[in-house]
Amino acid sequence: MTVEQFFDHLLKELDTHPKLKGYYRFLNNEKSFEFRKAYYIQRLEYIHQQMKNIDGPVWDIGCGYGTTALFLALNGYKVHGSTLEYYFNEIPQRLEYWSKIGDISGFTYDYENLYDSKPEPSYYAAVIVQDTLHHTEPIDEAVKIIKTSLRAGGKVIAVEENGNNIIQSFKLFLQRGNKRIIDYTDERLGKTIKLGNENIRPYAEWKRIFEKEGFTLPQESVHYVRFYPPFFFKNDCANVIAKEQEKWRNNSFLRERFFFGLNFTAVK
């Protein structure tokens, strides 16, 4: 299943699932639809492309509602998702919907804190962390757990926010100040855990963290998304995306300071 085909099915699902509709916000405002769609599709396509040569089980850490895991399962991958909070209760309804679209038997999931997990050493061929790393603390311990779970040559596929983005950094500072790590009490787990409080980082910092644990980060895997504001996407969305891609590759200042999304891959 292609990303575009999956997205079309997702839109139909949102009409029947109010909590998902409020979360993804694709259908909330027609004026921002193409803007949000472009961001979502580019990120999912990045994961799809990085998965091309993966032959083995996948761990989707912080899988949320299981959307990416469902897409991968529909494409024949065996994916286990770990999730927390309110996401967990919505997944059964999703399984009912997507099982009518295709074979999702490769998707399993549980309610689990990463730091309580005991993955089989060298079991996974890939680990996906989509909008997850900036919630994961202590980060060094998390990377150690991920490394243990991966086979030699296995990938960590990260989809993140750019911690160098001036606008987003200022917005988050107004929301949380410098309090980047908080304590969160999870009633289902019955314990208090550490949580990254939107603790976004720039690529250079992620590179340092992963290289410290012996990972290699191929430069060709680094990818930035979202530069232009919503009104630019009204007409020729594909052309706007192409212009954005040209800008980040050719202008390091704009890339580091004004692109919102950051994708990268680390190899064990």
Side-chain angles (χ1 to χ4, degrees):
M1 178 175 288
T2 67
V3 170
E4 283 281 359
Q5 289 169 337
F6 181 80
F7 184 77
D8 289 342
H9 287 298
L10 176 62
L11 290 181
K12 294 175 184 177
E13 181 190 21
L14 298 185
D15 264 337
T16 66
H17 204 147
K19 289 187 178 179
L20 285 181
K21 184 177 181 180
Y23 180 82
Y24 282 106
R25 298 192 289 173
F26 292 122
L27 303 178
N28 294 12
N29 187 338
E30 185 177 343
K31 293 181 180 179
S32 62
F33 173 77
E34 292 294 341
F35 173 71
R36 294 188 182 281
K37 176 184 175 181
Y39 186 58
Y40 177 83
I41 282 183
Q42 287 183 86
R43 300 170 101 213
L44 187 56
E45 188 60 50
Y46 176 83
I47 293 173
H48 193 203
Q49 292 302 317
Q50 290 298 315
M51 288 290 298
K52 289 295 184 183
N53 298 318
I54 297 298
D55 183 18
V58 181
W59 188 11
D60 188 353
I61 300 173
C63 71
Y65 290 119
T67 304
T68 297
L70 286 166
F71 169 73
L72 293 175
L74 288 166
N75 279 285
Y77 293 98
K78 180 181 178 182
V79 188
H80 181 70
S82 302
T83 192
L84 291 172
E85 301 182 297
Y86 49 84
Y87 303 106
F88 188 78
N89 295 331
E90 305 304 318
I91 295 179
Q93 183 178 337
R94 305 206 70 193
L95 298 181
E96 182 179 352
Y97 173 83
W98 287 101
S99 64
K100 298 173 184 176
I101 306 298
D103 183 5
I104 57 169
S105 59
F107 173 45
T108 58
Y109 66 99
D110 61 22
Y111 194 96
E112 184 179 46
N113 179 25
L114 171 64
Y115 301 95
D116 296 330
S117 65
K118 292 179 175 57
E120 182 180 336
S122 303
Y123 176 73
Y124 291 107
V127 169
I128 295 172
V129 275
Q130 181 172 4
D131 291 325
T132 297
L133 288 177
H134 62 259
H135 290 309
T136 308
E137 295 294 340
I139 189 62
D140 290 342
E141 184 180 341
V143 174
K144 284 183 172 69
I145 294 171
I146 291 170
K147 181 182 178 181
T148 298
S149 76
L150 275 173
R151 302 172 179 177
K155 289 182 176 181
V156 180
I157 303 171
V159 175
E160 269 292 323
E161 294 178 15
N162 175 18
N164 268 343
N165 180 281
I166 293 173
I167 298 170
Q168 183 67 355
S169 295
F170 181 67
K171 175 184 173 182
L172 292 177
F173 178 77
L174 292 178
Q175 291 177 358
R176 53 142 165 80
N178 283 319
K179 195 172 184 180
R180 290 174 170 265
I181 302 174
I182 59 174
D183 291 325
Y184 168 76
T185 301
D186 188 297
E187 294 183 1
R188 188 186 293 265
L189 293 176
K191 63 189 298 185
T192 298
I193 60 178
K194 295 289 183 184
L195 192 69
N197 189 15
E198 303 297 336
N199 193 10
I200 62 175
R201 295 173 170 93
Y203 173 67
E205 181 65 10
W206 289 123
K207 188 171 186 290
R208 183 195 66 78
I209 290 169
F210 277 91
E211 286 183 340
K212 181 181 176 183
E213 291 302 321
F215 283 89
T216 300
L217 283 71
Q219 186 58 40
E220 63 270 18
S221 76
V222 180
H223 181 242
Y224 288 78
V225 291
R226 187 182 276 184
F227 171 74
Y228 290 112
F231 62 84
F232 274 78
F233 290 80
K234 288 182 179 179
N235 299 314
D236 191 353
C237 184
N239 187 47
V240 175
I241 291 174
K243 287 181 178 179
E244 286 186 333
Q245 292 305 293
E246 182 180 3
K247 280 189 182 299
W248 80 256
R249 287 185 168 90
N250 296 315
N251 190 316
S252 60
F253 176 74
L254 292 181
R255 177 180 68 236
E256 292 298 323
R257 298 302 180 183
F258 291 98
F259 272 79
F260 181 86
L262 163 68
N263 308 324
F264 66 90
T265 295
V267 182
K268 178 178 174 180

